[in-house]
mmCIF file of all heavy atoms in Angstrom:
data_model
loop_
_atom_site.group_PDB
_atom_site.id
_atom_site.type_symbol
_atom_site.label_atom_id
_atom_site.label_comp_id
_atom_site.label_asym_id
_atom_site.label_seq_id
_atom_site.Cartn_x
_atom_site.Cartn_y
_atom_site.Cartn_z
ATOM 1 N N THR A 1190 2.568 1.702 -3.400
ATOM 2 C CA THR A 1190 1.565 2.130 -4.429
ATOM 3 C C THR A 1190 1.452 3.669 -4.197
ATOM 4 O O THR A 1190 1.367 4.358 -5.164
ATOM 5 C CB THR A 1190 0.263 1.429 -4.177
ATOM 6 O OG1 THR A 1190 0.533 0.027 -4.403
ATOM 7 C CG2 THR A 1190 -0.697 1.889 -5.309
ATOM 8 N N LEU A 1191 1.265 4.048 -2.923
ATOM 9 C CA LEU A 1191 1.084 5.494 -2.612
ATOM 10 C C LEU A 1191 2.275 6.323 -3.194
ATOM 11 O O LEU A 1191 2.180 7.444 -3.639
ATOM 12 C CB LEU A 1191 0.895 5.734 -1.242
ATOM 13 C CG LEU A 1191 0.610 7.100 -0.722
ATOM 14 C CD1 LEU A 1191 -0.599 7.665 -1.295
ATOM 15 C CD2 LEU A 1191 0.446 7.235 0.843
ATOM 16 N N VAL A 1192 3.505 5.763 -3.111
ATOM 17 C CA VAL A 1192 4.658 6.465 -3.622
ATOM 18 C C VAL A 1192 4.666 6.583 -5.054
ATOM 19 O O VAL A 1192 5.074 7.771 -5.572
ATOM 20 C CB VAL A 1192 6.052 5.609 -3.169
ATOM 21 C CG1 VAL A 1192 7.215 6.276 -3.820
ATOM 22 C CG2 VAL A 1192 6.128 5.730 -1.674
ATOM 23 N N LEU A 1193 4.235 5.753 -5.795
ATOM 24 C CA LEU A 1193 4.024 5.839 -7.260
ATOM 25 C C LEU A 1193 3.033 6.945 -7.497
ATOM 26 O O LEU A 1193 3.136 7.595 -8.532
ATOM 27 C CB LEU A 1193 3.661 4.432 -7.886
ATOM 28 C CG LEU A 1193 4.753 3.349 -7.803
ATOM 29 C CD1 LEU A 1193 4.131 2.039 -8.375
ATOM 30 C CD2 LEU A 1193 5.971 3.784 -8.490
ATOM 31 N N VAL A 1194 1.883 6.997 -6.840
ATOM 32 C CA VAL A 1194 0.981 7.983 -7.137
ATOM 33 C C VAL A 1194 1.532 9.199 -6.819
ATOM 34 O O VAL A 1194 1.206 10.320 -7.554
ATOM 35 C CB VAL A 1194 -0.333 7.644 -6.215
ATOM 36 C CG1 VAL A 1194 -1.338 8.842 -6.206
ATOM 37 C CG2 VAL A 1194 -1.041 6.353 -6.563
ATOM 38 N N CYS A 1195 2.272 9.414 -5.708
ATOM 39 C CA CYS A 1195 3.005 10.719 -5.440
ATOM 40 C C CYS A 1195 3.859 11.125 -6.471
ATOM 41 O O CYS A 1195 4.004 12.350 -6.851
ATOM 42 C CB CYS A 1195 3.625 10.670 -4.097
ATOM 43 S SG CYS A 1195 2.401 10.538 -2.641
ATOM 44 N N LEU A 1196 4.595 10.155 -7.077
ATOM 45 C CA LEU A 1196 5.458 10.477 -8.210
ATOM 46 C C LEU A 1196 4.626 11.034 -9.308
ATOM 47 O O LEU A 1196 5.155 11.901 -10.015
ATOM 48 C CB LEU A 1196 6.236 9.143 -8.591
ATOM 49 C CG LEU A 1196 7.110 9.235 -9.836
ATOM 50 C CD1 LEU A 1196 8.272 10.231 -9.647
ATOM 51 C CD2 LEU A 1196 7.642 7.848 -10.157
ATOM 52 N N ALA A 1197 3.558 10.372 -9.737
ATOM 53 C CA ALA A 1197 2.683 10.900 -10.813
ATOM 54 C C ALA A 1197 2.217 12.316 -10.575
ATOM 55 O O ALA A 1197 2.242 13.229 -11.475
ATOM 56 C CB ALA A 1197 1.480 9.934 -11.001
ATOM 57 N N VAL A 1198 1.953 12.720 -9.331
ATOM 58 C CA VAL A 1198 1.409 14.019 -8.961
ATOM 59 C C VAL A 1198 2.710 15.022 -9.115
ATOM 60 O O VAL A 1198 2.458 16.045 -9.626
ATOM 61 C CB VAL A 1198 0.957 14.002 -7.496
ATOM 62 C CG1 VAL A 1198 0.531 15.544 -7.094
ATOM 63 C CG2 VAL A 1198 -0.303 13.340 -7.476
ATOM 64 N N ALA A 1199 3.877 14.606 -8.606
ATOM 65 C CA ALA A 1199 5.062 15.450 -8.706
ATOM 66 C C ALA A 1199 5.310 15.759 -10.239
ATOM 67 O O ALA A 1199 5.711 16.944 -10.655
ATOM 68 C CB ALA A 1199 6.155 14.770 -8.079
ATOM 69 N N VAL A 1200 5.382 14.761 -11.204
ATOM 70 C CA VAL A 1200 5.679 14.953 -12.540
ATOM 71 C C VAL A 1200 4.647 15.701 -13.180
ATOM 72 O O VAL A 1200 4.800 16.443 -14.239
ATOM 73 C CB VAL A 1200 5.998 13.630 -13.323
ATOM 74 C CG1 VAL A 1200 7.099 12.924 -12.630
ATOM 75 C CG2 VAL A 1200 4.812 12.756 -13.390
ATOM 76 N N PHE A 1201 3.330 15.736 -12.713
ATOM 77 C CA PHE A 1201 2.216 16.473 -13.252
ATOM 78 C C PHE A 1201 2.637 18.025 -12.963
ATOM 79 O O PHE A 1201 2.481 18.732 -13.906
ATOM 80 C CB PHE A 1201 0.957 16.172 -12.595
ATOM 81 C CG PHE A 1201 -0.130 17.138 -12.811
ATOM 82 C CD1 PHE A 1201 -0.833 17.162 -13.965
ATOM 83 C CD2 PHE A 1201 -0.493 18.028 -11.853
ATOM 84 C CE1 PHE A 1201 -1.860 18.099 -14.206
ATOM 85 C CE2 PHE A 1201 -1.488 18.979 -12.034
ATOM 86 C CZ PHE A 1201 -2.117 19.064 -13.141
ATOM 87 N N LEU A 1202 3.025 18.284 -11.828
ATOM 88 C CA LEU A 1202 3.355 19.672 -11.351
ATOM 89 C C LEU A 1202 4.514 20.179 -12.234
ATOM 90 O O LEU A 1202 4.645 21.288 -12.709
ATOM 91 C CB LEU A 1202 3.559 19.797 -9.902
ATOM 92 C CG LEU A 1202 2.386 19.540 -8.987
ATOM 93 C CD1 LEU A 1202 2.806 19.574 -7.534
ATOM 94 C CD2 LEU A 1202 1.128 20.470 -9.232
ATOM 95 N N ALA A 1203 5.571 19.189 -12.448
ATOM 96 C CA ALA A 1203 6.661 19.564 -13.120
ATOM 97 C C ALA A 1203 6.394 19.909 -14.619
ATOM 98 O O ALA A 1203 6.898 20.854 -15.222
ATOM 99 C CB ALA A 1203 7.778 18.474 -12.912
ATOM 100 N N GLY A 1204 5.641 18.962 -15.231
ATOM 101 C CA GLY A 1204 5.229 19.199 -16.602
ATOM 102 C C GLY A 1204 4.468 20.470 -16.788
ATOM 103 O O GLY A 1204 4.715 21.275 -17.729
ATOM 104 N N GLY A 1227 0.814 18.871 -18.053
ATOM 105 C CA GLY A 1227 0.940 18.234 -16.732
ATOM 106 C C GLY A 1227 0.282 16.892 -16.926
ATOM 107 O O GLY A 1227 1.034 15.847 -16.372
ATOM 108 N N PHE A 1228 -0.870 16.738 -17.243
ATOM 109 C CA PHE A 1228 -1.475 15.328 -17.402
ATOM 110 C C PHE A 1228 -0.732 14.497 -18.452
ATOM 111 O O PHE A 1228 -0.735 13.242 -18.213
ATOM 112 C CB PHE A 1228 -2.984 15.540 -17.897
ATOM 113 C CG PHE A 1228 -3.849 15.818 -16.734
ATOM 114 C CD1 PHE A 1228 -4.617 16.944 -16.795
ATOM 115 C CD2 PHE A 1228 -4.000 14.946 -15.670
ATOM 116 C CE1 PHE A 1228 -5.542 17.308 -15.735
ATOM 117 C CE2 PHE A 1228 -4.877 15.251 -14.745
ATOM 118 C CZ PHE A 1228 -5.672 16.362 -14.543
ATOM 119 N N TYR A 1229 -0.255 15.063 -19.438
ATOM 120 C CA TYR A 1229 0.609 14.279 -20.492
ATOM 121 C C TYR A 1229 1.759 13.633 -19.828
ATOM 122 O O TYR A 1229 1.919 12.375 -19.993
ATOM 123 C CB TYR A 1229 1.049 15.219 -21.553
ATOM 124 C CG TYR A 1229 1.809 14.566 -22.655
ATOM 125 C CD1 TYR A 1229 1.253 13.754 -23.599
ATOM 126 C CD2 TYR A 1229 3.207 14.767 -22.739
ATOM 127 C CE1 TYR A 1229 1.982 13.244 -24.675
ATOM 128 C CE2 TYR A 1229 3.856 14.236 -23.709
ATOM 129 C CZ TYR A 1229 3.212 13.373 -24.691
ATOM 130 O OH TYR A 1229 4.108 12.802 -25.605
ATOM 131 N N VAL A 1230 2.470 14.355 -18.983
ATOM 132 C CA VAL A 1230 3.684 13.833 -18.407
ATOM 133 C C VAL A 1230 3.256 12.843 -17.258
ATOM 134 O O VAL A 1230 3.832 11.733 -17.077
ATOM 135 C CB VAL A 1230 4.523 14.879 -17.736
ATOM 136 C CG1 VAL A 1230 5.746 14.361 -16.973
ATOM 137 C CG2 VAL A 1230 5.044 15.944 -18.924
ATOM 138 N N ALA A 1231 2.262 13.201 -16.504
ATOM 139 C CA ALA A 1231 1.772 12.244 -15.459
ATOM 140 C C ALA A 1231 1.193 10.865 -15.900
ATOM 141 O O ALA A 1231 1.588 9.870 -15.460
ATOM 142 C CB ALA A 1231 0.595 13.013 -14.646
ATOM 143 N N LEU A 1232 0.464 11.038 -17.022
ATOM 144 C CA LEU A 1232 -0.006 9.651 -17.682
ATOM 145 C C LEU A 1232 1.199 8.907 -18.217
ATOM 146 O O LEU A 1232 1.188 7.674 -18.135
ATOM 147 C CB LEU A 1232 -0.966 10.025 -18.682
ATOM 148 C CG LEU A 1232 -2.321 10.588 -18.172
ATOM 149 C CD1 LEU A 1232 -3.233 11.020 -19.359
ATOM 150 C CD2 LEU A 1232 -3.088 9.536 -17.302
ATOM 151 N N ALA A 1233 2.090 9.653 -18.929
ATOM 152 C CA ALA A 1233 3.296 8.936 -19.462
ATOM 153 C C ALA A 1233 4.099 8.158 -18.348
ATOM 154 O O ALA A 1233 4.741 7.166 -18.541
ATOM 155 C CB ALA A 1233 4.083 9.880 -20.159
ATOM 156 N N CYS A 1234 4.262 8.886 -17.120
ATOM 157 C CA CYS A 1234 4.892 8.281 -16.133
ATOM 158 C C CYS A 1234 4.031 7.333 -15.272
ATOM 159 O O CYS A 1234 4.476 6.226 -15.011
ATOM 160 C CB CYS A 1234 5.274 9.375 -15.023
ATOM 161 S SG CYS A 1234 5.819 8.782 -13.596
ATOM 162 N N GLY A 1235 2.774 7.599 -14.973
ATOM 163 C CA GLY A 1235 1.900 6.812 -14.034
ATOM 164 C C GLY A 1235 1.423 5.505 -14.750
ATOM 165 O O GLY A 1235 1.435 4.382 -13.974
ATOM 166 N N LEU A 1236 1.046 5.482 -15.995
ATOM 167 C CA LEU A 1236 0.309 4.282 -16.580
ATOM 168 C C LEU A 1236 1.377 3.232 -16.682
ATOM 169 O O LEU A 1236 1.107 2.019 -16.187
ATOM 170 C CB LEU A 1236 -0.201 4.686 -17.832
ATOM 171 C CG LEU A 1236 -1.514 5.528 -17.855
ATOM 172 C CD1 LEU A 1236 -2.088 5.744 -19.225
ATOM 173 C CD2 LEU A 1236 -2.566 4.794 -17.063
ATOM 174 N N ALA A 1238 4.262 2.793 -15.126
ATOM 175 C CA ALA A 1238 4.751 2.306 -13.654
ATOM 176 C C ALA A 1238 3.629 1.535 -12.935
ATOM 177 O O ALA A 1238 3.984 0.410 -12.301
ATOM 178 C CB ALA A 1238 5.074 3.616 -12.898
ATOM 179 N N MET A 1239 2.431 2.005 -12.980
ATOM 180 C CA MET A 1239 1.355 1.364 -12.229
ATOM 181 C C MET A 1239 0.999 0.007 -12.857
ATOM 182 O O MET A 1239 0.733 -0.999 -12.102
ATOM 183 C CB MET A 1239 0.128 2.295 -12.060
ATOM 184 C CG MET A 1239 0.245 3.576 -11.336
ATOM 185 S SD MET A 1239 0.758 3.304 -9.548
ATOM 186 C CE MET A 1239 -0.795 2.666 -8.970
ATOM 187 N N LEU A 1320 9.407 2.109 -10.512
ATOM 188 C CA LEU A 1320 9.821 3.431 -10.299
ATOM 189 C C LEU A 1320 10.814 3.780 -11.353
ATOM 190 O O LEU A 1320 10.691 4.980 -11.903
ATOM 191 C CB LEU A 1320 10.476 3.480 -8.957
ATOM 192 C CG LEU A 1320 11.012 4.814 -8.524
ATOM 193 C CD1 LEU A 1320 9.801 5.806 -8.337
ATOM 194 C CD2 LEU A 1320 11.721 4.745 -7.119
ATOM 195 N N GLY A 1323 8.881 4.472 -14.474
ATOM 196 C CA GLY A 1323 8.023 5.767 -14.488
ATOM 197 C C GLY A 1323 9.004 6.851 -14.699
ATOM 198 O O GLY A 1323 8.600 7.940 -15.402
ATOM 199 N N LEU A 1324 10.193 6.824 -14.116
ATOM 200 C CA LEU A 1324 11.057 7.924 -14.178
ATOM 201 C C LEU A 1324 11.541 8.119 -15.596
ATOM 202 O O LEU A 1324 11.668 9.257 -16.177
ATOM 203 C CB LEU A 1324 12.237 7.801 -13.204
ATOM 204 C CG LEU A 1324 11.971 7.969 -11.664
ATOM 205 C CD1 LEU A 1324 13.025 7.682 -10.846
ATOM 206 C CD2 LEU A 1324 11.427 9.294 -11.350
ATOM 207 N N ALA A 1327 8.651 9.497 -17.640
ATOM 208 C CA ALA A 1327 8.475 10.904 -17.414
ATOM 209 C C ALA A 1327 9.545 11.848 -17.990
ATOM 210 O O ALA A 1327 9.212 12.922 -18.537
ATOM 211 C CB ALA A 1327 8.476 11.151 -15.891
#
Side-chain angles (χ1 to χ4, degrees):
T1190 303
L1191 184 60
V1192 171
L1193 294 178
V1194 173
C1195 292
L1196 174 63
V1198 173
V1200 298
F1201 165 80
L1202 297 175
F1228 276 121
Y1229 178 77
V1230 180
L1232 291 174
C1234 169
L1236 286 181
M1239 296 299 290
L1320 183 62
L1324 290 174

